[in-house]
Amino acid sequence: MNDVRQVAVLKITSEVLSAARAFLAREGFLELLPVILAPVTDPLHHATERAVVAAYGQEWHLTRSMIFHKQAAVRVWDKIFCFSPNVRLEPPERAGTGRHLFEFVQLDLEVRGADRDAVIALGERLLVHVVEQVRDRCRPALAALGRELPTLRPPFPRVTWREAAARYGSNFEERLSAESEGPVWVVDFPGEAREFYDREDPARPGILVDMDLLYPDGFGEALSGGEREHEADRIRRRILAQGLPPAAYAPLLALAEEGLPPSAGFGIGVERLVRFLGGLSHVGEVRLFPRVPGVHAVL
Ligand code: AMP
Ligand code: MG
């Protein structure tokens, strides 16, 4: 990347951050400062290496996501968000997907008492607001990158995980995204395809009340989210069903015993959003100091 392109990407990134902050403030959200080290973090559904720091007689995980902190934070205020740095030691084979860094930032938000439809609608408003603000305020930057932004028209279509998997196989992300003309929601993941904290539909055992949003034109997954398990018994059952040790999630279970409110939310990757807006080929181009799995960094 030459300087002109780097400046354009920085300009778009700055605009994304300020557009999202202003939008969420207007919607009544308060911003949390990020948690980087935590006694417990997101198990994640796919394999990532452990990233742990030992200090003060205990282990601290580098945060893979702030899911549990979000669930706890909505006890204090009903709408919260955070620009959360995540460390996920992804396998080096993911260097070439265009979508994976091992350190990235997600805009992670949660709403107390919300259902999936409410956070889907919120996600659509947020994305449209960010795209339109970038279109308005980043014309030279978009021109420097040769990018013509598509116009997004919510509500975006929804397909179930089962429909997507029947059409393209269970690794449908790239093909479904490549063949979509606009963003598309994938809803109702099966329990075994996701982390234990996405809520299982009481009326449809094995099906989760959750979603992903895919960008069009092959840019792949934009965000993941859903309604959350918040009752201790149900969380314990889902942890066991995934073959995880409940003791590792003792802090979450203790919080749930005290009382966690129902909530729903999502996390949208900032680098992937800027990659989409800029029409870039790899998320690494979004960062001046990218952390690409398996690639040596000088600074
Ligand atoms: P998840 O809840 O695991 O889906 O993560 C939330 C969002 O963060 C995803 O939808 C992506 O936009 C983004 N994301 C997840 N993993 C990565 C990664 N390794 N590199 C860059 N962005 C990521
Ligand atoms: Mg995801």
Side-chain angles (χ1 to χ4, degrees), residues 9 41 51 55 58 62 69 73 86 110 125 143 152 156 181 187 189 192 198 214 216 221 228 271 273 278 284:
V9 171
T41 192
Q58 75 175 94
L62 273 73
H69 303 90
N86 290 181
E110 196 74 11
R125 292 199 299 281
L152 308 187
F156 308 143
E181 282 174 11
V187 298
F189 283 66
E192 64 277 10
D198 279 6
L214 304 188
E221 181 186 318
R228 312 301 184 190
E271 291 86 350
L273 175 53

Side-chain angles (χ1 to χ4, degrees), residues 131-155:
V131 168
E132 290 313 313
Q133 183 155 325
V134 166
R135 192 197 311 283
D136 271 6
R137 300 197 188 170
C138 299
R139 281 178 205 282
L142 291 168
L145 297 171
R147 175 64 163 159
E148 267 205 43
L149 273 179
T151 300
L152 308 187
R153 300 186 198 287

Side-chain angles (χ1 to χ4, degrees), residues 14-33:
S14 298
E15 209 57 57
V16 165
L17 300 180
S18 58
R21 278 201 169 96
F23 170 86
L24 290 170
R26 274 205 306 280
E27 296 256 345
F29 281 77
L30 294 181
E31 181 170 359
L32 294 186
L33 295 175

Side-chain angles (χ1 to χ4, degrees), residues 194 212 221 223-224:
R194 286 292 246 223
D212 272 4
E221 181 186 318
L223 67 79
S224 291

Side-chain angles (χ1 to χ4, degrees), residues 42 44-46 48 64-65 86-90 94 97-108 173 194-195 197 211-213 215 220-225 228 266-273 283 291 293:
D42 195 327
L44 293 182
H45 184 257
H46 66 277
T48 50
R64 291 178 177 151
S65 88
N86 290 181
V87 173
R88 299 184 181 180
L89 302 180
E90 308 274 5
R94 290 193 155 186
T97 63
R99 302 190 300 276
H100 291 93
L101 298 172
F102 65 91
E103 180 191 314
F104 65 95
V105 174
Q106 59 169 313
L107 168 52
D108 212 355
E173 177 185 348
R194 286 292 246 223
E195 296 81 11
Y197 48 76
M211 74 285 182
D212 272 4
L213 182 71
Y215 292 118
E221 181 186 318
L223 67 79
S224 291
R228 312 301 184 190
F266 61 75
I268 178 166
V270 173
E271 291 86 350
R272 290 193 189 183
L273 175 53
V283 271
R291 300 293 178 249

Side-chain angles (χ1 to χ4, degrees), residues 202-213:
R204 295 181 304 163
I207 305 287
L208 307 178
V209 192
D210 62 357
M211 74 285 182
D212 272 4
L213 182 71

